[in-house]
Amino acid sequence: LGLRELPKFVFFDTGLRAVTKDCIERVERLRAKDPSRADHLDGGMRLATEEILAGLREYNGSKAPAGDRRSAIERIAAGMARAGEIYRHWGLVPEEVEGTLARLASEGVVSPRLTGAGGGGFI
């Protein structure tokens, strides 16, 4: 991506493990049941990805100290939040993880979301 530096990301292990194949099958079932909704969600994830990348590029292009790059961080956080919502709509965020996401947000984590295929793993 040509990025020289990244904002601070923290990874938290949920303690849950999921099989990527199962998560993919869940999304495929949703796609078979409601193709237009699945297309809408895919479009939302594309927007989230573009928003995150734009924020990362803005962060890298700034001459300001890392602590003064608020607009870039806000852009990245907005994209992360959008992606997290898409995971929820795909059914990839287990109930046990919802509480952890809420707790991390209440403790100051800017935009917690699951990584990877979902179902567990890391936030």
Side-chain angles (χ1 to χ4, degrees), residues 29-116:
R29 283 192 301 274
L30 182 134
R31 180 166 296 290
K33 181 179 174 184
D34 192 345
S36 83
R37 180 170 181 235
D39 286 344
H40 178 75
L41 292 173
D42 287 347
M45 188 57 84
R46 263 189 303 284
L47 287 174
T49 302
E50 290 167 7
E51 194 166 22
I52 293 165
L53 284 172
L56 289 169
R57 288 184 180 115
E58 178 183 338
Y59 187 89
N60 272 258
S62 175
K63 302 277 189 230
D68 294 337
R69 299 179 190 175
R70 182 173 303 269
S71 72
I73 297 295
E74 288 172 353
R75 196 175 213 178
I76 295 165
M80 297 279 284
R82 182 190 306 266
E85 278 304 307
I86 301 296
Y87 269 50
R88 284 182 180 90
H89 288 290
W90 278 335
L92 299 174
V93 181
E95 244 181 78
E96 304 91 344
V97 173
E98 287 291 355
T100 303
L101 290 166
R103 180 177 59 79
L104 291 170
S106 75
E107 292 174 358
V109 175
V110 174
S111 192
R113 66 163 286 244
L114 280 176
T115 64

Side-chain angles (χ1 to χ4, degrees), residues 3-51:
L3 302 175
R4 294 178 319 280
E5 61 180 316
L6 296 172
K8 181 178 178 182
F9 286 93
V10 177
F11 294 88
F12 179 85
D13 188 350
T14 66
L16 298 175
R17 296 296 172 256
V19 178
T20 299
K21 180 182 179 214
D22 294 343
C23 294
I24 292 169
E25 287 173 353
R26 180 179 294 243
V27 172
E28 287 175 346
R29 283 192 301 274
L30 182 134
R31 180 166 296 290
K33 181 179 174 184
D34 192 345
S36 83
R37 180 170 181 235
D39 286 344
H40 178 75
L41 292 173
D42 287 347
M45 188 57 84
R46 263 189 303 284
L47 287 174
T49 302
E50 290 167 7
E51 194 166 22

